[in-house]
Amino acid sequence: MQIELSRLITATGQAISEAQRAVAAHAIENYFTYFQKTGSAEDGMQAYTPNTAHILIPPVDGSGAPARVSVPLVTMAHHNAMGLRDVRIKLSGAAAVDADEKVLLDLTPSTPNGTADAVHRTELELCFRCDEPPEGAARVNTEMNKLL
């Protein structure tokens, strides 16, 4: 099977881009599980209220009652667990140039007995680097931490 190298790289890049979008959509959906939707969109009062946990903090000097602090759970979760930093793909094939001077790559597996065809095979590694995750969640968490 021969494929034009530029088409292979384009198709692989598009597939990785789609995977990155799916990961980002899942991360957003997961992020909002730390909030409770309140109000309605019709009256313009829809908002998200953070789910919280109460934590008792002992007094600094050891006397008195512990302070009860309501901590948003979203501030205690790690949000960069899923992300595609880079994707590396290694291909082994025989390179050729067609009549239009386009580079073709034959991805047919080499024969197991190591015939002379294996001498003409080349290894190609494609590396796609993805963007950093958005800063929005980090900024929301920073603002919530300021309130504590």
Side-chain angles (χ1 to χ4, degrees), residues 4 24 34-36 44 56 62 75-76 78 96 105 115 122 127 132:
E4 190 178 320
Y34 291 98
F35 295 87
Q36 193 170 37
L56 295 176
T75 63
M76 298 169 32
H78 180 64
L105 193 63
T115 61
T122 185
C127 180
E132 290 295 319

Side-chain angles (χ1 to χ4, degrees), residues 44-134:
M45 298 302 291
Q46 183 174 329
Y48 288 90
T49 305
N51 296 327
T52 60
H54 297 286
I55 297 176
L56 295 176
I57 299 177
V60 177
D61 61 1
S63 64
R68 184 182 196 94
V69 179
S70 185
V71 178
L73 295 176
V74 71
T75 63
M76 298 169 32
H78 180 64
H79 301 289
N80 291 333
M82 274 285 284
L84 300 177
R85 184 174 51 224
D86 63 356
V87 177
R88 294 178 184 273
I89 299 171
K90 286 187 180 183
L91 301 170
S92 177
V97 178
D98 69 1
D100 297 328
E101 296 188 5
K102 293 180 182 174
V103 177
L104 301 175
L105 193 63
D106 185 354
L107 300 175
T108 307
S110 61
T111 55
N113 59 6
T115 61
D117 182 45
V119 174
H120 300 291
R121 297 189 72 78
T122 185
E123 194 168 284
L124 176 69
E125 181 176 16
L126 304 175
C127 180
F128 295 86
R129 300 213 184 272
C130 300
D131 291 336
E132 290 295 319

